[in-house]
Amino acid sequence: MQLKIIKEGNRITYIYTTEKENIPLITLENSSIIVEKQRISSPEIALLLASVLKHAVLAETSPLTEKEWEELERFWAGEYDSLWNTSK
């Protein structure tokens, strides 16, 4: 399982991926945060959704360079891993 962040123009989508499926969590577009995942069925997805919402708010409030995006993506991947490992 992992988190993918896909940037297409002014749209950014956060996707939770497993071996079996890809689950879009949220999309940022035109200064709006759209929650794609309406039903939360596990603590794992709830923690990940909270994490990506925080990341999205930070991304919307301060424009980032490509290098800053990469650093932030690595940071949030680490945050997700630590949340997932402590919730087991």
Side-chain angles (χ1 to χ4, degrees):
M1 82 192 113
Q2 81 181 73
L3 177 66
K4 286 186 184 178
I5 301 173
I6 299 174
K7 292 176 269 184
E8 299 172 323
N10 67 343
R11 171 184 269 188
I12 301 169
T13 303
Y14 296 77
I15 302 172
Y16 168 68
T17 64
T18 67
E19 291 179 7
K20 297 179 182 179
E21 61 186 330
N22 293 321
I23 303 169
L25 297 171
I26 65 170
T27 298
L28 300 175
E29 187 172 22
N30 300 324
S31 299
S32 294
I33 299 173
I34 304 159
V35 178
E36 305 285 353
K37 180 67 177 163
Q38 299 296 318
R39 184 171 181 228
I40 299 173
S41 56
S42 73
E44 171 184 326
I45 292 176
L47 288 171
L48 185 57
L49 184 56
S51 179
V52 298
L53 280 169
K54 184 175 180 183
H55 182 269
V57 168
L58 290 173
E60 281 299 307
T61 58
S62 60
L64 302 173
T65 65
E66 190 65 30
K67 183 178 178 183
E68 290 170 327
W69 265 112
E70 290 170 4
E71 290 172 5
L72 195 55
E73 288 171 5
R74 280 194 299 276
F75 171 77
W76 283 110
E79 283 292 299
Y80 167 71
D81 287 341
S82 70
L83 284 171
W84 171 243
N85 290 330
T86 59
S87 69
K88 284 185 173 183

